[in-house]
Amino acid sequence: MAGVTWRRLTLGVAAVYFLVPLAIAVWFTVYNESLGFSLGAYGRIVSAPGFGESLLKSLLLGAAVIVLVLLLALPALLAVRLGAPGLRPVLETITTLPLIVPPITYVVGIANALRGGTDALAATPFWQTLISIQDEDFPVVLVLAYVMLALPFAYRSLDTGLRAVDVRTLVEAARNLGASWPYVLFRVILPNLRSAVAGASFLSLALVMGEYTIAALMGYRTFPVWIVTVSGSDGQLSVALSVLSLGLIWLLLLTLSGAGRKSK
Amino acid sequence: MTVELRELRRSFGGTVALDGLSLTIEQGELIAFLGPSGCGKTTALRCVAGFERPDTGAVFIDGADVTRVPANRRDAGMVFQSYSLFPNLNVRDNVAFGLRVRRRPTSERHSRAAELLELVGLGGFGERYPHQLSGGQQQRVALARALALQPKVLLLDEPLSALDAKVRVNLREEIRRLQLELGITTIFVTHDQEEALSVADRVAVLKSGRLEQVAPPAEVYDRPATPFVAEFVGTMNHLPGRVSGETVEVFGHFLPLDGAAPGEEVDVLVRPEAVRVSPSEEGRGFILASSFRGSIARLRVQLDSGGEVLADVPGHEAVRLAPGLKVDVTLVERPVLTAPRTAVAAPVEPVA
Ligand SMILES: Nc1ncnc2c1ncn2[C@@H]1O[C@H](COP(=O)(O)OP(=O)(O)O)[C@@H](O)[C@H]1O
Ligand SMILES: [Mg+2]
């Protein structure tokens, strides 16, 4: 009984803590002393120049980051778990680094590398590659940077998922029954890691949809950068944007965790 | 379909898991690998399955050297010690997994899975998921899954160790029945000597990565090749003895020696059933405890000279031979093994 009461109370407090500011924010976007109730702020967002473009760009970046971070982290985790358990602390440390290095340092590093690289490779065919990864429409260099940033979260989510299954035995059982390594990875491991993979994907996506510093400093107009540029002068608009992006990310979360739950 | 292990060596860092293991398993035979934990049983089995590559030595299946063949291309079905069913697949799809990998048509997969589930006594369980099964049922499914591809060899790594006693006994008998029915060459790894003795055609006793003895169960029990085997298989009394020539003196009897003695003062190894106990006022000890086991009763006799002896007597004598009774202890006249003298006489019970 006491347990239930406590649970309700905690939940209630948490709900108030989160929902009240949110409700006030929503209220602020739709109500105005002079105009009364109006959805005008949301209308202004959609019609603002660059909305669809930057949103699409960020979603594409997010998708690329998810694919890359999974392709990087999952095989590495499996290999360490199955082949070299002694290397686990090393992997753990490496994947924590992006959390420790401040984004500014990161940007300076990337910018220097790009500039140095452009000079050094000026006379070679690689120069073209270097230019194309900085393409304004789909900046591969941002994908690479975000993969680094997402690694700690993806790693931890996947690691937790792997802990819950006896990976070694499952892998060996599948190998014993004739499965190739790709078959093991895609048909045995992944299906049993759905919620962990969904979690890793969501965290990566949330990161991409919310990252401002690196994109802004490197001069790319991703969705978060766009929000800041557009909302500069219009208070109501900027809050409406926050509410909108929150709702959007929430929707994506529900989709991803729904995909994760289907495996049961 | 024979399996030959030739001079297998494998070490992990400083630990030597296999130290020159050589053994041939005959067609249709069920061989048990028996030994204490850490003696290399699993490593040996994993070398046959292809999960482990020996540092030196070779594995032959059916005469072909498979040492370098990857695990997914060996023809060996394995049942693991821990539960190994795929949690996301139902029982039928688990059993048919190997057929799925080989892209067999759905109809064949389903009929074969049904057939195998019937074989392991789980007909009608196809739609269940692993978490809806008991431990014993899961291992049955694992067995069906391992047999689905009709492998040349069946490998069982302590498949019963996670189950409770009664299920364990049932399932091991069923495994044996199936194995005989299918005539499949089988390696059964266990650290339980009773399990090994009761199901195997031959028992291979391992110690520190080496083969101590390989022989039919009765022979391993009655004529252990080494003191280690003698002690690991069954219960063994250690009685202080003194070697003289071809015999050894224990309790005033001279018993013939089996093999060379390690010195003059030795431990003589005697099974409880080779110890006779009779009531006697001027006997050399008294009964400390008695545990009735149906057809026999096991007596614990305290010797006046220090130490204890275990003796098995017919169950109906348990009443007559009650604790506290003064008794005489004699030994059945048969060749005995000896071991280097340890402490005072103390029976060694095997770890079950
Ligand atoms: N992957 C491994 N890494 C390190 N040591 C191992 C590994 N596998 C087995 N060993 C060691 O090798 C020895 C034999 O192990 P194992 O074959 O599992 O024994 P058993 O199955 O008879 O209990 C043990 O000392 C064990 O600690
Ligand atoms: Mg083992």
Side-chain angles (χ1 to χ4, degrees):
Chain A
M1 271 316 275
V4 174
T5 315
W6 265 113
R7 220 175 303 154
R8 291 212 179 122
L9 196 69
T10 329
L11 221 65
V13 170
V16 166
Y17 187 84
F18 284 112
L19 292 180
V20 167
L22 200 62
I24 292 173
V26 172
W27 180 245
F28 178 71
T29 59
V30 295
Y31 185 78
N32 185 308
E33 293 279 311
S34 51
L35 295 172
F37 185 83
S38 136
L39 287 173
Y42 291 95
R44 289 208 295 285
I45 294 177
V46 181
S47 58
F51 168 77
E53 196 186 314
S54 62
L55 180 61
L56 187 68
K57 189 189 291 180
S58 276
L59 286 178
L60 280 178
L61 284 176
V65 168
I66 288 172
V67 170
L68 213 58
V69 86
L70 287 179
L71 279 180
L72 206 62
L74 199 53
L77 265 162
L78 282 177
V80 164
R81 211 161 255 266
L82 297 175
L87 286 181
R88 248 174 93 167
V90 179
L91 201 63
E92 207 137 308
T93 313
I94 290 178
T95 55
T96 316
L97 279 180
L99 287 181
I100 299 166
V101 179
I104 291 290
T105 321
Y106 212 46
V107 174
V108 172
I110 294 173
N112 274 338
L114 284 178
R115 202 173 318 116
T118 318
D119 293 344
L121 299 176
T124 71
F126 295 112
W127 183 78
Q128 197 52 49
T129 316
L130 212 57
I131 295 305
S132 66
I133 66 166
Q134 300 175 60
D135 179 39
E136 173 64 31
D137 288 331
F138 188 73
V140 176
V141 65
L142 262 193
V143 173
L144 299 179
Y146 287 165
V147 164
M148 281 292 279
L149 292 186
L151 211 50
F153 307 108
Y155 173 85
R156 260 148 207 92
S157 176
L158 293 176
D159 193 47
T160 311
L162 282 172
R163 240 179 265 256
V165 285
D166 185 350
V167 184
R168 175 179 288 272
T169 310
L170 290 189
V171 168
E172 288 181 351
R175 293 285 291 161
N176 183 250
L177 294 164
S180 63
W181 280 111
Y183 196 103
V184 170
L185 186 63
F186 290 107
R187 306 296 289 274
V188 178
I189 300 295
L190 272 183
N192 287 301
L193 279 185
R194 277 217 193 177
S195 54
V197 167
S201 306
F202 168 69
L203 289 171
S204 307
L205 186 66
L207 182 124
V208 173
M209 295 307 284
E211 205 287 327
Y212 172 76
T213 321
I214 294 180
L217 288 178
M218 290 180 64
Y220 294 112
R221 234 155 81 111
T222 58
F223 192 56
V225 175
W226 179 81
I227 290 182
V228 175
T229 343
V230 159
S231 61
S233 54
D234 187 337
Q236 211 181 20
L237 182 70
S238 85
V239 178
L241 271 166
S242 309
V243 171
L244 192 72
S245 66
L246 191 72
L248 198 74
I249 291 179
W250 222 22
L251 205 72
L252 289 168
L253 167 84
L254 289 180
T255 319
L256 278 174
S257 73
R261 205 160 316 123
K262 224 175 282 163
S263 66
K264 279 284 153 251
Chain B
M1 324 279 178
T2 58
V3 176
E4 186 190 346
L5 312 181
R6 194 178 290 172
E7 279 293 309
L8 291 184
R9 276 174 213 285
R10 178 76 167 99
S11 47
F12 300 98
T15 320
V16 178
L18 293 178
D19 188 12
L21 180 67
S22 292
L23 185 62
T24 302
I25 298 121
E26 304 297 341
Q27 156 61 34
E29 176 180 46
L30 193 163
I31 197 163
F33 284 5
L34 175 66
S37 175
C39 72
K41 307 180 296 289
T42 297
T43 307
L45 201 71
R46 289 168 61 84
C47 284
V48 179
F51 300 133
E52 205 72 72
R53 200 168 276 181
D55 298 331
T56 63
V59 179
F60 295 82
I61 296 180
D62 227 4
D65 186 345
V66 297
T67 320
R68 313 242 141 227
V69 175
N72 61 332
R73 286 201 238 113
R74 293 199 189 185
D75 217 353
M78 181 143 170
V79 176
F80 297 81
Q81 181 169 7
S82 48
Y83 300 132
S84 62
L85 298 184
F86 304 116
N88 59 317
L89 300 180
N90 65 21
V91 166
R92 188 187 56 219
D93 291 343
N94 261 284
V95 174
F97 184 89
L99 298 165
R100 180 84 204 253
V101 171
R102 281 164 181 70
R103 298 172 193 280
R104 297 283 166 73
T106 313
S107 56
E108 182 191 336
R109 295 205 306 263
H110 286 194
S111 63
R112 181 87 180 118
E115 187 184 316
L116 280 154
L117 285 173
E118 206 62 56
L119 197 65
V120 297
L122 287 177
F125 279 68
E127 300 293 330
R128 297 231 195 153
Y129 277 84
H131 67 90
Q132 296 169 317
L133 301 180
S134 71
Q137 289 170 335
Q138 291 194 40
Q139 290 302 65
R140 280 167 197 266
V141 176
L143 185 65
R145 184 177 69 175
L147 291 170
L149 293 170
Q150 297 179 301
K152 290 181 180 160
V153 197
L154 181 61
L155 307 173
L156 309 166
D157 187 6
E158 310 211 18
L160 310 176
S161 64
L163 310 176
D164 46 8
K166 189 148 186 187
V167 181
R168 206 153 60 203
V169 172
N170 281 340
L171 195 47
R172 84 179 180 215
E173 276 158 14
E174 201 153 331
I175 289 175
R176 175 57 161 169
R177 177 184 62 76
L178 264 175
Q179 185 269 334
L180 287 173
E181 197 175 308
L182 301 173
I184 186 171
T185 310
T186 302
I187 304 178
F188 188 128
V189 164
T190 177
H191 65 266
D192 181 343
Q193 43 111 7
E194 187 197 326
E195 203 166 281
L197 295 181
S198 60
V199 299
D201 292 306
R202 284 193 301 160
V203 177
V205 183
L206 271 62
K207 178 198 175 192
S208 313
R210 295 172 155 281
L211 186 64
E212 288 276 304
Q213 180 175 16
V214 54
E219 190 176 331
V220 169
Y221 188 83
D222 286 333
R223 301 210 19 88
T226 65
F228 175 81
V229 176
E231 261 169 57
F232 194 75
V233 177
T235 303
M236 207 46 110
N237 286 298
H238 279 227
L239 305 173
R242 175 189 294 275
V243 175
S244 65
E246 296 293 290
T247 60
V248 58
E249 183 194 349
V250 208
F251 296 159
H253 299 275
F254 287 89
L255 299 175
L257 271 173
D258 181 357
E264 197 183 332
E265 300 286 329
V266 293
D267 275 4
V268 178
L269 306 177
V270 183
R271 297 251 182 239
E273 60 266 30
V275 179
R276 296 275 176 268
V277 175
S278 51
S280 158
E281 270 312 310
E282 51 276 4
R284 64 180 83 245
F286 66 93
I287 297 174
L288 201 60
S290 159
S291 72
F292 183 67
R293 300 181 178 186
S295 59
I296 63 147
R298 174 157 295 179
L299 306 181
R300 186 176 279 272
V301 178
Q302 172 75 55
L303 298 173
D304 297 339
S305 56
E308 293 175 4
V309 183
L310 291 180
D312 286 352
V313 298
H316 60 82
E317 287 193 19
V319 181
R320 193 164 60 99
L321 297 166
L325 189 71
K326 197 88 175 126
V327 289
D328 196 18
V329 176
T330 57
L331 302 176
V332 175
E333 191 111 358
R334 65 161 83 140
V336 289
L337 279 169
T338 53
R341 172 68 63 87
T342 53
V344 285
V348 178
E349 295 255 23
V351 278

